[in-house]
Amino acid sequence: MRKWSPLLAVCIGTFMLLVDVTIVTVALPAVAGDLHASLDGLQWVLDGYALALAALLLGAGALADRHGRRRMYLAGTVVFAAASLLCAVANSAGLLIAARFLQGAGGAAMFATTVALLSVTYSGKDRGVAFGVWGAVNGAAAAAGPIVGGLLTEHLGWRWIFLVNLPVSLLAVWFTVRGVTESKGRPGTRFDLPGTIAFTVSAAAVTFALIRGGEAGWTAPSTSAAFGISAAALVAFVLIERATEQPMLDLRLFRSASFGTLMVAAVLVQAAAFAYLPFVTVWLQEFLHKGPVDAGLLGALPMSIASFVVAALGGRLLQRLAPRWTVGIGLLLIAAGDLLQARLTASSPATALIPGLVVAGVGVAAVLPVLSSAALSAAPPERSGMASGAVNTFRQLGFALGVAVFGAVFSHRLAAHQDPRAGVADALNQTLFVAGGLALLAGVLVLLLVRHAAAAPSAGRPVAPATSGVTAAATSGGH
């Protein structure tokens, strides 16, 4: 048992932090009723966590390489647990949002170390087993988030979706202290603090602008100012990364058209496949009067099951095909699934979304595992850790931006209707049309621009833990 303590520590923590990306989704109506949160406030409850996770992931990997991965994982777990407690006792939407940002910071510190910890702990067949189990846990988190959130919200209350993290965090700490040995990256690794700050400010400001624009208008001073701050911070980030010897993200990677296109695909697939699901929850609970459990089952399970089945039956075949075709066609399937769902009327039943969710799930199974390995193949070997970390960063950023964009589309369309039931169906249709368009755009770009067809890394191969403690999870699901 002691042999597998590090794997248990990593898997428990990974499952917890990835579940928390979407576990809140089905609890949003309950949160709104209890804390009197507006639609933009609810979007920040989701986006605060995803933004912090995305913005700090690469920087946390560099810090872990310098100061110790075990130490970083433990510190992240403690921060995550403390933030979860703050979420559970929050008496206002503002405090809940702030605690979600803190949760994301802890989650980034944990997630940034997972692959490196497994890579230095296991070798040979044991490494293959460890990475296989870790990948399965990532996939399970996708299906479990809305379902676990629904069960806890319906039977115990929404605050329990955060309180449950406390005993899970204790388990992760116990197994880490018991079985994980300390490891570090190469000497002299530096934390790119200016780059991390600039990236965080740019991502947060553009997300604020998108959410604010949907409420106050796109020409409002606050919206324009936020867009301006985001653009200025992005320019600063580019200048910083070009000037520093040890950048958080080496911009030379984007000289490869294949790599740059795959990063665009990472952003758009996360938005197109998952970021509209919170608004599906609003439709199911507020207008079809489904409970949180039913909302979790109807809104997430069909996609997760389809994705799991396809990945299990065809995973090896998908990895053998050229990434251009697998990722490109998978994105087109996601687009088809989104558009298939966009046929709702005021009288549509809750099951109307299932066919589209299944088609989108097939596309997700094709895209996500291959997207990760394709990004590694499109980058130089010495930058494989940074490339894999970039996939995770851009995927989480895609979810945050997607929620913001779809929130603006949804609220604008809803405001144009007198009949709430017909209005929410039309607003959700419009949201799904935009999601489908994003997936279609990403699919076409991949088919046209991705040319690199190198073989995917073998299962269990360590992914440059010395340069970054992060890899993209080859999983199905929204994380």
Side-chain angles (χ1 to χ4, degrees):
M1 182 68 178
R2 188 176 183 85
K3 171 183 175 181
W4 298 110
S5 288
L7 177 61
L8 285 170
V10 168
C11 286
I12 290 169
T14 300
F15 182 84
M16 177 177 63
L17 72 91
L18 290 181
V19 159
D20 267 56
V21 176
T22 55
I23 195 172
V24 182
T25 302
V26 294
L28 292 178
V31 172
D34 195 11
L35 301 183
H36 308 290
S38 61
L39 178 62
D40 61 325
L42 294 178
Q43 291 177 75
W44 277 114
V45 172
L46 288 168
D47 274 358
Y49 183 81
L51 260 179
L53 192 59
L56 300 177
L57 201 55
L58 286 169
L63 272 179
D65 287 342
R66 184 178 184 183
H67 297 290
R69 295 153 182 157
R70 178 179 181 268
R71 182 180 300 171
M72 179 64 71
Y73 187 78
L74 284 171
T77 306
V78 171
V79 170
F80 190 94
S84 296
L85 181 59
L86 287 176
C87 289
V89 300
N91 57 6
S92 69
L95 180 56
L96 178 59
I97 292 166
R100 286 286 281 171
F101 270 100
L102 186 60
Q103 250 195 332
M110 297 167 67
F111 204 25
T113 62
T114 52
V115 167
L117 288 174
L118 294 180
S119 295
V120 300
T121 302
Y122 299 106
S123 60
K125 291 183 178 179
D126 288 345
R127 179 177 289 171
V129 170
F131 276 98
V133 171
W134 182 75
V137 166
N138 278 260
I147 297 170
V148 172
L151 287 168
L152 291 172
T153 301
E154 188 165 318
H155 297 292
L156 296 174
W158 68 265
R159 296 181 188 276
W160 280 91
I161 65 177
F162 301 112
L163 288 174
V164 74
N165 290 333
L166 301 182
V168 177
S169 297
L170 285 175
L171 272 178
V173 168
W174 188 78
F175 279 113
T176 302
V177 172
R178 183 174 183 265
V180 177
T181 56
E182 187 60 278
S183 62
K184 296 182 179 181
R186 64 177 184 270
T189 302
R190 295 180 181 178
F191 175 49
D192 182 13
L193 180 60
T196 299
I197 292 174
F199 184 81
T200 303
V201 170
S202 181
V206 72
T207 304
F208 175 84
L210 291 168
I211 292 175
R212 183 65 178 168
E215 180 189 18
W218 300 106
T219 59
S222 56
T223 305
S224 300
F227 276 125
I229 291 171
S230 177
L234 182 60
V235 171
F237 174 73
V238 171
L239 294 175
I240 291 167
E241 298 308 282
R242 292 181 63 181
T244 185
E245 293 183 1
Q246 295 186 23
M248 180 179 77
L249 179 62
D250 190 344
L251 299 181
R252 290 175 296 181
L253 290 171
F254 291 90
R255 293 177 182 174
S256 163
S258 293
F259 183 84
T261 303
L262 290 169
M263 293 304 101
V264 172
V267 172
L268 296 185
V269 69
Q270 204 74 3
F274 306 109
Y276 65 85
L277 293 178
F279 308 100
V280 170
T281 294
V282 172
W283 177 64
L284 289 170
Q285 293 192 56
E286 294 297 302
F287 293 90
L288 298 190
H289 307 294
K290 300 294 181 182
V293 174
D294 288 341
L297 292 173
L298 291 165
L301 196 59
M303 182 190 291
S304 297
I305 290 176
S307 183
F308 177 80
V309 170
V310 172
L313 296 179
R316 289 191 177 184
L317 175 62
L318 292 173
Q319 290 286 354
R320 291 173 184 170
L321 298 175
R324 172 189 178 189
W325 298 109
T326 310
V327 176
I329 293 174
L331 283 162
L332 296 183
L333 285 171
I334 293 172
D338 290 347
L339 297 176
L340 190 58
Q341 295 174 69
R343 303 179 302 162
L344 301 176
T345 66
S347 59
S348 293
T351 54
L353 297 176
I354 291 178
L357 286 168
V358 170
V359 174
V362 175
V364 166
V367 173
L368 293 189
V370 180
L371 181 66
S372 304
S373 55
L376 294 180
S377 298
E382 68 274 11
R383 287 290 188 235
S384 60
M386 183 178 288
S388 60
V391 174
N392 265 349
T393 295
F394 282 101
R395 282 179 58 195
Q396 297 299 334
L397 187 60
F399 181 80
L401 294 177
V403 169
V405 170
F406 297 157
V409 173
F410 187 86
S411 59
H412 175 75
R413 195 73 173 187
L414 185 60
H417 285 267
Q418 298 296 325
D419 179 7
R421 190 179 180 94
V424 76
D426 181 54
L428 189 52
N429 285 340
Q430 196 68 24
T431 302
L432 287 161
F433 274 126
V434 175
L438 293 177
L440 179 62
L441 172 63
V444 171
L445 288 175
V446 168
L447 290 173
L448 290 177
L449 299 177
V450 173
R451 299 298 181 193
H452 202 289
S458 59
R461 168 188 161 189
V463 186
T467 56
S468 173
V470 189
T471 192
T475 67
S476 61
H479 324 299

